[in-house]
Coordinates of all heavy atoms in Angstrom, one line a residue:
A426 N -44.7 -12.8 15.0 CA -45.7 -11.8 15.1 C -45.0 -10.4 15.4 O -45.4 -9.4 14.8 CB -46.8 -12.1 16.2
A427 N -44.1 -10.4 16.3 CA -43.4 -9.2 16.7 C -42.5 -8.7 15.5 O -42.4 -7.5 15.3 CB -42.5 -9.4 17.9
L428 N -42.0 -9.6 14.8 CA -41.2 -9.2 13.6 C -42.1 -8.6 12.5 O -41.7 -7.5 12.0 CB -40.5 -10.4 13.0 CG -39.8 -10.2 11.6 CD1 -38.7 -9.1 11.7 CD2 -39.2 -11.5 11.1
R429 N -43.3 -9.2 12.3 CA -44.2 -8.6 11.3 C -44.6 -7.2 11.8 O -44.7 -6.3 10.9 CB -45.4 -9.5 11.2 CG -45.2 -10.7 10.4 CD -46.5 -11.4 10.0 NE -47.3 -11.8 11.1 CZ -47.2 -13.0 11.7 NH1 -46.3 -13.9 11.3 NH2 -47.9 -13.3 12.7
E430 N -44.8 -7.0 13.0 CA -45.2 -5.7 13.5 C -44.0 -4.7 13.3 O -44.2 -3.5 12.9 CB -45.5 -5.8 15.0 CG -45.9 -4.4 15.7 CD -46.2 -4.6 17.1 OE1 -46.8 -5.7 17.5 OE2 -45.9 -3.7 17.9
A431 N -42.8 -5.1 13.6 CA -41.6 -4.3 13.4 C -41.5 -3.9 11.9 O -41.1 -2.7 11.6 CB -40.4 -5.0 13.9
Q432 N -41.7 -4.8 11.0 CA -41.6 -4.5 9.6 C -42.7 -3.5 9.2 O -42.5 -2.6 8.4 CB -41.8 -5.8 8.8 CG -40.5 -6.7 8.9 CD -40.7 -8.1 8.3 OE1 -41.8 -8.7 8.4 NE2 -39.7 -8.6 7.7
A433 N -43.9 -3.7 9.7 CA -45.0 -2.8 9.3 C -44.7 -1.4 9.8 O -45.2 -0.4 9.1 CB -46.3 -3.3 10.0
L434 N -44.0 -1.2 10.9 CA -43.7 0.1 11.4 C -42.4 0.7 10.8 O -42.0 1.8 11.1 CB -43.5 0.0 12.9 CG -44.8 -0.2 13.7 CD1 -44.5 -0.5 15.2 CD2 -45.8 0.9 13.6
G435 N -41.7 -0.1 10.0 CA -40.5 0.4 9.4 C -39.2 0.2 10.2 O -38.2 0.7 9.9
Y436 N -39.4 -0.6 11.3 CA -38.2 -0.9 12.2 C -37.4 -2.1 11.7 O -36.3 -2.3 12.2 CB -38.7 -1.1 13.6 CG -39.4 0.0 14.3 CD1 -40.4 -0.2 15.2 CD2 -39.1 1.3 13.9 CE1 -41.1 0.8 15.8 CE2 -39.8 2.4 14.6 CZ -40.8 2.1 15.5 OH -41.4 3.2 16.1
A437 N -37.9 -2.9 10.8 CA -37.2 -4.0 10.3 C -37.3 -4.1 8.8 O -38.3 -3.7 8.2 CB -37.8 -5.3 10.9
E438 N -36.3 -4.5 8.2 CA -36.2 -4.7 6.7 C -37.1 -5.8 6.2 O -37.5 -6.7 7.0 CB -34.8 -4.9 6.2 CG -33.8 -3.8 6.6 CD -34.1 -2.5 5.9 OE1 -34.8 -2.5 4.8 OE2 -33.6 -1.4 6.3
A439 N -37.4 -5.8 4.9 CA -38.2 -7.0 4.4 C -37.4 -8.3 4.6 O -37.9 -9.3 4.9 CB -38.4 -6.8 2.9
D440 N -36.1 -8.2 4.4 CA -35.2 -9.3 4.8 C -34.4 -8.9 6.1 O -33.5 -8.1 6.0 CB -34.1 -9.6 3.7 CG -33.2 -10.8 4.1 OD1 -33.3 -11.3 5.2 OD2 -32.3 -11.1 3.3
P441 N -34.9 -9.3 7.3 CA -34.3 -8.8 8.5 C -33.1 -9.6 9.0 O -32.7 -9.4 10.1 CB -35.5 -9.1 9.5 CG -36.1 -10.3 9.0 CD -36.0 -10.3 7.5
S442 N -32.5 -10.5 8.2 CA -31.5 -11.4 8.6 C -30.3 -10.7 9.3 O -29.8 -11.1 10.3 CB -31.0 -12.2 7.5 OG -32.0 -13.0 6.9
L443 N -29.8 -9.6 8.7 CA -28.7 -8.9 9.2 C -28.9 -8.4 10.6 O -28.0 -8.5 11.5 CB -28.3 -7.7 8.3 CG -27.0 -6.9 8.6 CD1 -25.8 -7.8 8.3 CD2 -26.9 -5.7 7.8
D444 N -30.1 -8.0 10.9 CA -30.5 -7.6 12.3 C -30.8 -8.7 13.2 O -30.1 -8.9 14.2 CB -31.7 -6.6 12.2 CG -31.4 -5.3 11.5 OD1 -30.3 -4.8 11.7 OD2 -32.3 -4.9 10.7

Side-chain angles (χ1 to χ4, degrees):
L428 172 59
R429 287 194 297 270
E430 181 179 325
Q432 289 171 322
L434 293 170
Y436 297 150
E438 302 289 343
D440 179 0
S442 301
L443 189 66
D444 294 318

